[in-house]
Amino acid sequence: MDDTNDARPVYVIGAGPGGLAVAAALRDQGVRAVVLEKSDAVGASWRRHYNRLRLHTTRRHSSLPGLRMPRSFGRWVAREDVVRYLETYARHQELEIVTGVEVSRITPAEGSGWLLHATGGRQLNGRAVVVATGYNHTPALPDRAGADTYSGELLHAGEYREAGPYAGRDVLVVGAGNTGAEIAVDLVEGGAARVRLAIRTVPHILRRSTAGWPAQYTGILVRRLPTRLVDRAAGLMSRIAVPDLSAQGLPRPDTGLYSRVRQGAIPVQDVGLIAAVRTGRVEPVAAVDSFDGGTVVLADGARIQPDAVIAATGYRRGLEPLVGHLGVLDGRGRPVTHGRRTPKQAPGLYFTGFTNPISGMLRELAIDARKIASAIARR
């Protein structure tokens, strides 16, 4: 079908960095884009992150198309500055954003395009749809026996803001990804009496910057190299830059760094974890096996009773209600295509922000935005 005179807008679902970048890129192509956001402001997920969070990617490689982040933000941009930037970006690009509208389901429109079923019984007809609801959509609490009846304090990392409420307390952090590692360090620095970090899979740990060279730059350079080659090089660099913490309960991983990345596991960038583990302020322990009343049972049989459990156990994409019926998700609930590619069975449906690249999420969102806009403009 020739869409040249199709006056319907392109709908972008989600006003996070990915959605805003796509809308701006479409505007540059002369295509009307309407961003639908279920919350009352842009950058909703960034507003919910813990206070100390900073980007692990450099300011230079974290800007969206058409507007650089200001130098005043520094090299490693703080969470609140990311929010400020997204607000400024939406105004600067004069984006058409409708807040308070949640899209619950997408179905094919008659003839071509897509019908969006939204808040208040709305049915919106778009020539194309870009789903940018975000990597961190639905908090995933530990799926362990007894978790639903655990009598202690159990919260997801998405509810954690700062260490103040945990000063003088015994805290177990579950999950040794970037979020869990950083929260553990935040708790130690904020005065928690004891901090343990439950680890299921030993993470790869990288220095965020070595001699002024950011780890992200290396990620950009190696992302298209053979996996085995990168694994070998990363293993060598790790032994040089990261001390062996086996005696403290954090051994070196037994799988390659890039092999893990290919499976969706991004390395932990060190913002104090190495020093905290080395000095005993953060204690690595076995993974959580189950919950028993007010007790946490670990995989090695140990039973502990922390004052609070913070679950840095990740998020689900939450796409099944929206597009699961279209056959565009894999077995793990992730889109089978992303960027400029659109599923054969769902032409005109695009996804962005559902991968976790080693080269930096914001950088790849910016690249994908231009590619998606060009693909839609050519249709």
Side-chain angles (χ1 to χ4, degrees):
M1 176 181 176
D2 184 357
D3 291 335
T4 305
N5 296 315
D6 193 338
R8 294 175 297 173
V10 173
Y11 284 107
V12 180
I13 306 175
L20 298 180
V22 169
L26 284 167
R27 185 176 181 275
D28 288 344
Q29 293 278 356
V31 177
R32 183 189 173 202
V34 178
V35 182
L36 304 175
E37 168 56 45
K38 69 177 182 179
S39 71
D40 60 358
V42 303
S45 64
W46 281 95
R47 296 175 189 274
R48 295 193 300 266
H49 286 315
Y50 48 94
N51 294 344
R52 77 168 277 154
L53 178 65
R54 288 181 176 270
L55 291 179
H56 291 162
T57 54
T58 63
R59 180 192 73 253
R60 178 183 176 187
H61 286 293
S62 300
S63 296
L64 302 181
L67 182 66
R68 290 188 175 277
M69 288 187 175
R71 284 180 174 271
S72 60
F73 285 2
R75 192 177 209 187
W76 311 106
V77 182
R79 179 200 63 84
E80 61 268 27
D81 286 332
V82 174
V83 173
R84 288 169 51 198
Y85 171 73
L86 295 178
E87 292 172 340
T88 302
Y89 188 83
R91 292 193 301 268
H92 176 82
Q93 300 287 24
E94 299 179 343
L95 302 181
E96 190 174 347
I97 302 172
V98 183
T99 59
V101 175
E102 181 174 7
V103 179
S104 57
R105 193 172 177 85
I106 301 172
T107 57
E110 186 175 348
S112 69
W114 296 95
L115 200 63
L116 283 67
H117 305 263
T119 306
R122 295 180 179 88
Q123 291 193 355
L124 308 171
N125 197 326
R127 58 188 283 193
V129 175
V130 182
V131 180
T133 49
Y135 198 82
N136 297 338
H137 186 272
T138 304
L141 280 168
D143 183 18
R144 298 288 179 268
D148 54 344
T149 58
Y150 178 59
S151 60
E153 181 182 351
L154 172 62
L155 67 153
H156 189 269
E159 301 174 76
Y160 177 87
R161 294 295 174 269
E162 49 94 18
Y166 304 95
R169 302 176 69 191
D170 181 338
V171 186
L172 173 67
V173 180
V174 181
N178 276 293
T179 297
E182 192 154 351
I183 287 177
V185 173
D186 194 43
L187 288 165
V188 165
E189 295 177 354
R194 185 177 189 180
V195 178
R196 285 174 281 202
L197 181 62
I199 301 173
R200 179 165 299 277
T201 303
V202 178
H204 286 274
I205 303 176
L206 298 176
R207 301 287 188 182
R208 186 169 63 178
S209 180
T210 303
W213 178 265
Q216 182 193 13
Y217 290 7
T218 303
I220 293 171
L221 292 174
V222 307
R223 65 185 305 251
R224 299 194 186 282
L225 294 178
T227 301
R228 287 185 180 181
L229 177 63
V230 180
D231 280 349
R232 289 196 199 101
L236 177 61
M237 290 304 299
S238 176
R239 291 183 180 279
I240 294 172
V242 178
D244 185 0
L245 300 171
S246 299
Q248 289 77 31
L250 190 60
R252 295 190 187 278
D254 57 6
T255 55
L257 182 150
Y258 205 31
S259 294
R260 284 270 192 91
V261 170
R262 294 289 194 186
Q263 297 169 3
I266 293 298
V268 170
Q269 295 207 20
D270 180 47
V271 291
L273 181 66
I274 292 174
V277 170
R278 177 187 271 175
T279 57
R281 294 181 298 160
V282 169
E283 306 169 45
V285 297
V288 172
D289 179 74
S290 61
F291 295 83
D292 181 13
T295 299
V296 181
V297 183
L298 303 181
D300 60 3
R303 299 172 67 89
I304 62 175
Q305 293 183 319
D307 297 320
V309 178
I310 300 174
T313 43
Y315 294 80
R316 299 185 182 93
R317 309 296 84 81
L319 292 171
E320 288 81 2
L322 189 67
V323 296
H325 55 287
L326 299 174
V328 297
L329 304 179
D330 65 15
R332 297 172 61 184
R334 302 172 303 182
V336 295
T337 63
H338 75 277
R340 75 171 72 187
R341 295 169 54 224
T342 184
K344 291 182 180 179
Q345 70 273 35
L349 181 63
Y350 299 85
F351 297 89
T352 185
F354 296 99
T355 60
N356 200 4
I358 194 172
S359 50
M361 174 72 83
L362 292 177
R363 177 182 183 272
E364 297 304 322
L365 287 176
I367 293 171
D368 275 355
R370 296 187 180 97
K371 291 179 177 178
I372 292 171
S374 296
I376 291 175
R378 287 196 304 268
R379 280 178 54 84

